[in-house]
């Protein structure tokens, strides 16, 4: 038999209270989702160890992908991995924020590490957190994105209220190249936020490049090709 990919969609805590200073509540929201995503990753490794691997996964090959806010989370679980990278204006003793880098969302005792990430229209607080040997990354971002900055700029709420400076996908891949990470970056020229949601051509391109990127990480003999190629989708596997 052939082992295929298992895809799981997770839920995470949402919510951003309105405030005159949006930086702190916005960062707290990222940390809550960051903790929840890590708990979801630990869940699958716990299932392998304690429940007989119901999902038939390889616990050494777990990848994370996210769109927009989900892109923020995937970038942070990969690269915000040292205690000193937690912004000093956060109080991680507050209810819902406890547990340091791993959080208290459950399934403790298992690794939350991933082997690579997909970031679609996300951003990270600081590309300085990306170091040699960190996880490979594949990103997609529109140059005209007014929701999440394409490069390093101010993240805004409703396009009007300043939240916090962030580093978008362009800056992330500049840093990835500097430190030697395996990476792909597909620029959606003159496009806004997440064009793949409404445009079949961008959806197809996103699927194609993502597929090759993950295939290369799974099997290095498959050459990494960050350009569009036709994808054959197999739906009937014995």
């Amino acid at each position: 038999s052939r082992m295929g990919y298992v895809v799981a969609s997770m839920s995470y805590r949402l919510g951003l209270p309105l405030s005159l200073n949006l930086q702190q509540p916005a960062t707290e929201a990222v940390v809550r989702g960051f903790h929840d995503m890590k708990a979801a990753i630990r869940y699958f490794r716990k299932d392998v160890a304690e429940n007989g691997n119901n999902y038939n996964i390889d616990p050494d090959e777990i990848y994370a992908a996210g769109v927009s806010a989900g892109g923020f989370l995937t970038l942070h679980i990969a690269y915000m991995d040292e205690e000193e990278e937690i912004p000093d204006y956060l109080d991680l003793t507050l209810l819902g924020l406890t547990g340091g880098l791993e959080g208290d969302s459950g399934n403790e005792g298992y690794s939350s590490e991933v082997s690579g990430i997909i970031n679609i229209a996300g951003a990270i607080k600081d590309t300085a957190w990306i170091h040699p040997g960190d996880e490979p990354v594949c990103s997609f971002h529109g140059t005209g994105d007014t929701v999440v900055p394409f490069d390093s700029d101010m993240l805004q709420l409703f396009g009007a209220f300043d939240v916090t400076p962030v580093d978008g996908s362009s800056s992330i891949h500049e840093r990835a190249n500097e430190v030697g990470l395996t990476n792909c970056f597909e620029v959606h020229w003159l496009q806004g936020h997440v064009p793949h949601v409404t445009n079949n051509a961008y959806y197809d391109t996103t699927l194609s490049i993502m597929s090759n990127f993950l295939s290369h990480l799974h099997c290095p003999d498959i050459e990494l090709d960050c350009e569009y190629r036709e994808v054959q989708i197999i739906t009937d596997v014995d």
Side-chain angles (χ1 to χ4, degrees), residues 155-171:
L155 178 68
Q156 293 189 318
L157 181 65
F158 307 129
F161 302 99
D162 287 350
V163 179
T164 188
V166 296
D167 293 331
S169 301
S170 180
S171 298

Side-chain angles (χ1 to χ4, degrees), residues 145-158:
D145 195 332
T146 59
V147 177
V148 178
F150 173 76
D151 46 24
S152 298
D153 208 339
M154 178 67 67
L155 178 68
Q156 293 189 318
L157 181 65
F158 307 129

Side-chain angles (χ1 to χ4, degrees), residues 68-81:
S68 194
F72 275 78
L73 301 189
T74 60
L75 288 163
H76 284 81
I77 67 164
Y79 305 130
M80 193 173 78
D81 53 4

Side-chain angles (χ1 to χ4, degrees), residues 10 18 24-25 92 106 127 140 144 147-148 178 182 201 223 235:
M10 62 157 286
L18 292 179
Q24 182 163 338
L92 296 191
T127 58
F140 305 84
V147 177
V148 178
E178 286 176 0
T182 298
E223 182 181 355
T235 58

Side-chain angles (χ1 to χ4, degrees), residues 89-222:
Y89 53 79
L90 290 184
D91 182 357
L92 296 191
T93 67
L94 295 176
L95 184 66
L97 296 175
T98 57
L101 285 170
E102 289 302 316
D104 292 322
S105 293
N107 309 309
E108 63 277 1
Y110 292 92
S111 171
S112 61
E113 294 294 317
V114 293
S115 297
I117 62 169
I118 306 290
N119 155 51
I120 302 176
I124 193 171
K125 179 61 180 170
D126 193 342
T127 58
W129 299 346
I130 303 173
H131 302 123
D134 275 345
E135 294 83 350
V137 54
C138 178
S139 294
F140 305 84
H141 214 130
T143 59
D145 195 332
T146 59
V147 177
V148 178
F150 173 76
D151 46 24
S152 298
D153 208 339
M154 178 67 67
L155 178 68
Q156 293 189 318
L157 181 65
F158 307 129
F161 302 99
D162 287 350
V163 179
T164 188
V166 296
D167 293 331
S169 301
S170 180
S171 298
I172 289 163
H173 284 272
E174 181 179 345
R175 175 67 174 173
N177 288 329
E178 286 176 0
V179 301
L181 298 190
T182 298
N183 72 94
C184 283
F185 181 29
E186 174 68 7
V187 177
H188 296 321
W189 295 103
L190 304 179
Q191 296 301 306
H193 195 54
V194 298
H196 74 282
V197 173
T198 55
N199 185 300
N200 286 337
Y202 286 105
Y203 178 85
D204 191 41
T205 299
T206 301
L207 178 65
S208 168
I209 295 172
M210 183 189 311
S211 173
N212 173 259
F213 177 77
L214 292 174
S215 296
H216 171 75
L217 296 186
H218 174 68
C219 181
D221 287 344
I222 298 174

